[in-house]
Amino acid sequence: AFETRFGMPIIETMGLTETAAQILSNPLPPDMRKIGSPGKAFGNEVCILSPDLTSLPPNQQGEIAVRGPNVMAGYFKNPKATADTFALDGWLRSGDLGHVDDDGYFFVTGRLKELIIKGGENIAPREIDEALYSHADVIEAAAFARPCETYGERVEAAVRVKQGSLLTAEALGAICVKKLGRFKSPERVHFLEELPKGPSGKIQRLRLAELISYAVFCLKQTTIGWPRLIVVSFRPLGPGATLSGAGELGRGSFCFAKSWKLMRFSKLL
């Protein structure tokens, strides 16, 4: 609709701070654009690296890496970070997970540090997010890892839904099982009024996992059990700050105030 009204195409691209420009771009019409892909290598080389930092063939997931004249020389006065970021032969590791298809188009599936490793199997949180977003009532969604005695890590997720929605965790779980199978589906879905975000507005999965873990830890320190009201926070707020949100933690509920500390418990009906 936008392209028809304004007579100009929308092109999806991808760039990094470390490259000072785009590294991938879809071509202009009439060439093929692929929805959901930031495109082909543009002005540099891009590849997919395996865990042992060797190049992977098409349609195999790994870490997106870039090499070219637009890539930085290194991080200012931080040789360790520079060494950790560059692989052999000058490849800059982006930290993004993805794959390239047979036509040379790249697809981003998540962040390497956010990967869920359940029973030795790698699970990209983004594919769980997409399953959750398939329900019309879900406004925000993020899957993340929690410790598990059996598998090492288990899958959980948090969502923000439309006001007045009667959506349940069971219904979302059923959607995930249908789309992804039971192994990849979240074992628990937490309902929040707000998901933690960084300065750029991106949902912070790792911080979300810390928040849920902290709330569960606080609840375990009490003798009053589930369900209870717990007051914690996504981030420290200024003096006189008001509550920044409330949500349901499993079968219990909690809200967020100006400190990470447990402030009070209150029995819920």
Side-chain angles (χ1 to χ4, degrees), residues 215-216 218-232 246-255 262 264-269:
V216 171
C218 291
L219 287 167
K220 287 181 178 179
Q221 305 311 302
T222 73
T223 58
I224 52 180
W226 293 92
R228 296 292 181 266
L229 183 68
I230 176 176
V231 181
V232 294
E248 182 180 327
L249 177 62
R251 290 168 44 231
S253 292
F254 61 96
C255 58
L262 175 66
R264 65 186 173 91
F265 284 100
S266 176
K267 186 175 181 180
L268 301 177
L269 297 178

Side-chain angles (χ1 to χ4, degrees), residues 8-19:
M8 62 179 66
I10 297 175
I11 303 297
E12 186 175 354
T13 69
M14 174 181 169
L16 307 173
T17 302
E18 291 85 350
T19 61

